[in-house]
Amino acid sequence: FQLQASGGGLVQTGGSLRLSCTPSGLTLDEKAIGWFRQAPGKEREGVSCIDYSGGRTWYLDSVKGRFAISADHAKNTLYLQMTNLKPEDTAVYYCAADDKECSIVAGPYPVYDYWGQGTQVTVSS
């Protein structure tokens, strides 16, 4: 299956973007679905995750209060609403999924089994 992220772009500091991810060949039910990012020269970094079974969410400390993860079961789509963006948020953002819970696969050093092509987010100062 594929996990294609979209919605990235170039914004100024303080701006907003909404990323979307609609998996093909996979339904989002009973999976941990989330986002991680990777900036040039840096390690992969978990951003947010949601457990479909219980709706529990996880956020990287630096994005708490600014980013919101959500899922539309009817559309089989995952979203990441990003507000008050900062230059340090600049990275390629990837949508990811796993059969295990967010508590296992999410975190600052994510270990998802599945991810797809990312979308570039650039925040100018």
Side-chain angles (χ1 to χ4, degrees):
F1 58 89
Q2 295 183 353
L3 292 160
Q4 181 64 54
S6 62
L10 172 64
V11 296
Q12 294 183 333
T13 296
S16 299
L17 286 173
R18 188 177 78 160
L19 306 184
S20 300
C21 174
T22 302
S24 61
L26 170 73
T27 58
L28 298 180
D29 290 344
E30 301 180 358
K31 306 288 185 186
I33 299 287
W35 299 89
F36 66 85
R37 65 189 181 187
Q38 189 164 23
K42 294 188 176 181
E43 295 293 321
R44 185 179 301 176
E45 179 179 59
V47 175
S48 185
C49 185
I50 184 168
D51 284 327
Y52 266 58
S53 59
R56 289 167 294 184
T57 58
W58 172 86
Y59 292 95
L60 184 69
D61 283 347
S62 63
V63 308
K64 286 180 180 177
R66 300 189 297 120
F67 291 11
I69 191 170
S70 62
D72 186 327
H73 288 262
K75 295 182 178 179
N76 199 42
T77 300
L78 178 73
Y79 301 101
L80 184 68
Q81 179 67 50
M82 306 186 295
T83 61
N84 192 20
L85 283 161
K86 303 176 180 181
E88 51 263 42
D89 295 319
T90 295
V92 178
Y93 284 70
Y94 297 86
C95 173
D98 201 285
D99 289 337
K100 297 177 288 295
E101 296 178 347
C102 291
S103 61
I104 297 173
V105 302
Y109 307 100
V111 290
Y112 296 96
D113 280 342
Y114 312 107
W115 64 90
Q117 290 186 326
T119 184
Q120 176 71 49
V121 172
T122 303
V123 185
S124 62
S125 57

